[in-house]
Amino acid sequence: MPAPTLAPVSSIRNLGPASDAGFARAGIHDADSLRAMGADAAYEALLRSGTAPHFIGYYALVMGLQGRPWNDCQGAEKTALRARFDAIKVRVSGAPAAPDSAIEAILNQIGTGLRR
Protein backbone atom coordinates (compact mmCIF):
# COMPACT_ATOMS: atom_id res chain seq x y z
CA MET A 1 0.00 0.00 0.00
CA PRO A 2 1.46 3.39 -0.96
CA ALA A 3 2.22 5.96 1.71
CA PRO A 4 -0.42 8.68 2.11
CA THR A 5 0.27 11.90 0.26
CA LEU A 6 0.84 14.82 2.58
CA ALA A 7 -0.83 18.14 1.83
CA PRO A 8 1.60 20.80 0.60
CA VAL A 9 2.26 23.93 2.63
CA SER A 10 0.36 25.84 -0.07
CA SER A 11 -2.84 24.04 0.95
CA ILE A 12 -2.95 26.40 3.95
CA ARG A 13 -5.02 29.49 3.31
CA ASN A 14 -3.01 32.55 2.15
CA LEU A 15 0.03 30.47 1.14
CA GLY A 16 0.95 29.72 -2.46
CA PRO A 17 3.51 27.77 -4.48
CA ALA A 18 6.35 30.09 -3.47
CA SER A 19 5.60 29.15 0.13
CA ASP A 20 6.11 25.48 -0.71
CA ALA A 21 9.62 26.22 -1.95
CA GLY A 22 10.51 28.61 0.87
CA PHE A 23 9.36 26.34 3.65
CA ALA A 24 10.99 23.32 1.96
CA ARG A 25 14.34 25.19 2.17
CA ALA A 26 13.60 25.54 5.89
CA GLY A 27 12.95 21.79 6.20
CA ILE A 28 9.16 22.10 6.40
CA HIS A 29 7.70 19.99 3.61
CA ASP A 30 3.99 19.71 4.34
CA ALA A 31 1.05 21.53 5.89
CA ASP A 32 0.77 19.21 8.89
CA SER A 33 4.41 19.79 9.84
CA LEU A 34 3.94 23.55 9.58
CA ARG A 35 0.78 23.43 11.71
CA ALA A 36 2.57 21.30 14.32
CA MET A 37 5.41 23.84 14.56
CA GLY A 38 3.12 26.84 14.80
CA ALA A 39 3.49 30.15 13.05
CA ASP A 40 6.33 31.62 15.10
CA ALA A 41 8.66 28.60 15.03
CA ALA A 42 7.94 27.98 11.34
CA TYR A 43 8.56 31.62 10.42
CA GLU A 44 11.78 31.62 12.43
CA ALA A 45 12.93 28.51 10.54
CA LEU A 46 12.03 30.26 7.28
CA LEU A 47 14.18 33.28 8.20
CA ARG A 48 17.06 31.09 9.34
CA SER A 49 17.00 29.39 5.93
CA GLY A 50 17.69 32.72 4.24
CA THR A 51 14.26 34.16 3.49
CA ALA A 52 14.13 37.91 4.09
CA PRO A 53 11.69 39.00 6.81
CA HIS A 54 8.41 40.53 5.66
CA PHE A 55 5.68 41.46 8.12
CA ILE A 56 2.80 40.86 5.71
CA GLY A 57 4.14 37.38 4.95
CA TYR A 58 4.30 36.65 8.66
CA TYR A 59 0.81 37.75 9.50
CA ALA A 60 -0.59 36.09 6.35
CA LEU A 61 0.88 32.85 7.74
CA VAL A 62 -0.65 33.44 11.18
CA MET A 63 -4.05 34.26 9.69
CA GLY A 64 -3.85 31.28 7.33
CA LEU A 65 -3.15 28.86 10.15
CA GLN A 66 -6.32 30.21 11.78
CA GLY A 67 -8.27 29.73 8.53
CA ARG A 68 -8.67 33.49 8.10
CA PRO A 69 -7.94 35.75 5.11
CA TRP A 70 -4.59 37.55 5.32
CA ASN A 71 -6.21 40.99 5.39
CA ASP A 72 -8.33 40.11 8.42
CA CYS A 73 -5.47 41.20 10.69
CA GLN A 74 -6.16 44.68 12.10
CA GLY A 75 -5.94 46.92 15.15
CA ALA A 76 -4.63 45.54 18.42
CA GLU A 77 -4.20 42.07 16.92
CA LYS A 78 -1.92 43.48 14.21
CA THR A 79 0.04 45.42 16.83
CA ALA A 80 0.56 42.25 18.88
CA LEU A 81 1.63 40.32 15.78
CA ARG A 82 4.11 43.07 14.92
CA ALA A 83 5.72 42.64 18.35
CA ARG A 84 5.98 38.87 17.80
CA PHE A 85 7.42 39.43 14.30
CA ASP A 86 10.02 41.86 15.63
CA ALA A 87 10.99 39.38 18.37
CA ILE A 88 11.48 36.64 15.77
CA LYS A 89 13.72 38.94 13.71
CA VAL A 90 15.80 39.74 16.80
CA ARG A 91 16.20 36.05 17.67
CA VAL A 92 17.31 35.23 14.14
CA SER A 93 19.69 38.16 13.78
CA GLY A 94 20.99 38.09 17.33
CA ALA A 95 20.94 41.90 17.24
CA PRO A 96 18.54 44.54 18.54
CA ALA A 97 15.60 45.34 16.29
CA ALA A 98 16.59 47.57 13.40
CA PRO A 99 14.49 50.48 12.16
CA ASP A 100 11.86 49.68 9.55
CA SER A 101 13.20 48.94 6.12
CA ALA A 102 12.53 51.39 3.30
CA ILE A 103 9.68 49.27 1.95
CA GLU A 104 8.05 49.07 5.38
CA ALA A 105 8.29 52.85 5.67
CA ILE A 106 6.55 53.22 2.30
CA LEU A 107 3.85 50.75 3.31
CA ASN A 108 3.30 52.78 6.46
CA GLN A 109 2.95 55.96 4.38
CA ILE A 110 0.25 54.48 2.19
CA GLY A 111 -1.56 52.95 5.15
CA THR A 112 -0.90 49.25 4.58
CA GLY A 113 1.89 48.89 7.11
CA LEU A 114 1.88 49.30 10.84
CA ARG A 115 2.90 52.70 12.13
CA ARG A 116 5.01 52.70 15.22
Side-chain angles (χ1 to χ4, degrees):
M1 175 175 249
T5 303
L6 298 173
V9 167
S10 60
S11 67
I12 295 172
R13 185 176 189 146
N14 305 329
L15 304 182
S19 298
D20 290 327
F23 281 106
R25 282 191 302 275
I28 304 166
H29 300 283
D30 60 86
D32 288 341
S33 296
L34 194 150
R35 284 187 189 96
M37 288 182 79
D40 290 6
Y43 198 77
E44 184 170 332
L46 191 66
L47 297 185
R48 290 189 186 281
S49 73
T51 298
H54 192 279
F55 181 52
I56 295 172
Y58 170 70
Y59 74 72
L61 169 63
V62 173
M63 296 292 102
L65 287 172
Q66 295 175 9
R68 297 165 58 194
W70 69 270
N71 57 357
D72 198 34
C73 183
Q74 299 176 22
E77 181 180 30
K78 192 172 191 178
T79 300
L81 288 178
R82 182 58 192 230
R84 286 171 46 189
F85 172 77
D86 288 343
I88 292 167
K89 288 191 322 183
V90 168
R91 282 195 306 271
V92 170
S93 71
D100 288 344
S101 70
I103 189 67
E104 287 176 341
I106 292 168
L107 290 172
N108 286 338
Q109 287 177 339
I110 62 173
T112 60
L114 177 66
R115 288 184 172 86
R116 291 182 177 223

